[in-house]
Structures are given as C-alpha cells and as structure tokens.
Amino acid sequence: MTAIAKKRIQSRIARHERVRKSVVGTAECPRLAVRRSLSHMIAQIFDDENNKSVAQVTTASKEFQGKFGEMTKTEQAKQLGLQIAELAKSKGIESVVFDRGGYIYLVKADSNSSEVHFGTRSSSF
C-alpha cells in the first residue's frame, strides 16, 4: 500500500472518530451506519446502549443482487436505503441517527452515502 493510500485511510478513520463522538444510537433512536468498499455498500442499524446490531442490509447479498444487480452504484445505494428502512420499520424503529462513517456526505453531488440517506427518507423513515 502506498503512503498516499495509507494517509487517506488514516484520515477517514480520524474523521469517523470525530463523528462518533457526537453520534450515539439509543434503543429509541438507533444509529444507521454506512460502510463502503470499492464494489459494495453495507447499511447497518446499531443500538449502542446495548451493543447490538438491530438490522443489516448489504449490496453483496444474493437477494439484493438478484433484484438490483443491473443498476448503477448510486441507484443501488438508494435501494439499499429503502431496504434498510423497510427492515427497520418491520422491527418497530421509527427514527435513526445517520452515521456517515467518515465518508464524504455531499447533498449536491451523487455521493453514495447521501443516496442511502435519501433512500431512507423517501420511505418516510
């Protein structure tokens, strides 16, 4: 790994630690964390008080790829938000705190983190 790549990863981890100081999930309002890899995204809902993962949806799953595999990453990110919102509603969760995980969150650009957020909001979550 090059020095530039290491610095980029270290910077994202530092940003994530700064965000996590203020973003805490409770049982009433859990934390929605978004993680990205080069080819997939994972949306996971955490209850930080009880240290439990409440729900998880990933674009790497066979069910998700079967339905939305032909879409672009941005469209898949929006569908990921819709899927996690449906799963959370079925478990009785009404609202969440969004944790961008140190990734860039741009509303104007087509960033995947913002698309997950918009997907959850469009389902009245």
Side-chain angles (χ1 to χ4, degrees):
M1 188 179 297
T2 65
I4 295 172
K6 286 181 184 178
K7 176 66 176 164
R8 185 175 57 241
I9 292 170
Q10 290 171 349
S11 297
R12 189 197 67 79
I13 291 171
R15 284 190 305 271
H16 183 66
E17 289 173 355
R18 276 195 311 266
V19 168
R20 285 287 290 126
K21 286 180 184 177
S22 62
V23 176
V24 178
T26 63
E28 296 82 30
C29 188
R31 175 173 56 99
L32 171 62
V34 177
R35 290 180 292 172
R36 296 184 335 194
S37 71
L38 191 58
S39 55
H40 295 291
M41 292 189 72
I42 301 167
Q44 197 167 8
I45 297 178
F46 292 102
D47 177 8
D48 290 326
E49 289 179 342
N50 299 321
N51 292 330
K52 290 187 179 179
S53 174
V54 179
Q56 175 183 348
V57 179
T58 178
T59 59
S61 69
K62 290 181 182 180
E63 300 88 26
F64 192 91
Q65 286 297 319
K67 291 180 185 176
F68 311 112
E70 299 298 319
M71 295 181 171
T72 64
K73 286 185 191 178
T74 306
E75 293 167 342
Q76 284 185 356
K78 189 166 186 175
Q79 290 299 324
L80 183 73
L82 292 169
Q83 294 283 325
I84 195 74
E86 285 179 20
L87 188 59
K89 282 182 181 179
S90 69
K91 295 193 178 209
I93 299 170
E94 296 296 322
S95 64
V96 294
V97 177
F98 185 72
D99 178 11
R100 64 184 176 91
Y103 297 111
I104 297 172
Y105 179 83
L106 295 174
V107 177
K108 294 181 181 178
D110 286 336
S111 72
N112 291 338
S113 296
S114 64
E115 287 297 322
V116 171
H117 187 237
F118 288 139
T120 58
R121 295 188 88 189
S122 66
S123 67
S124 69
F125 184 59

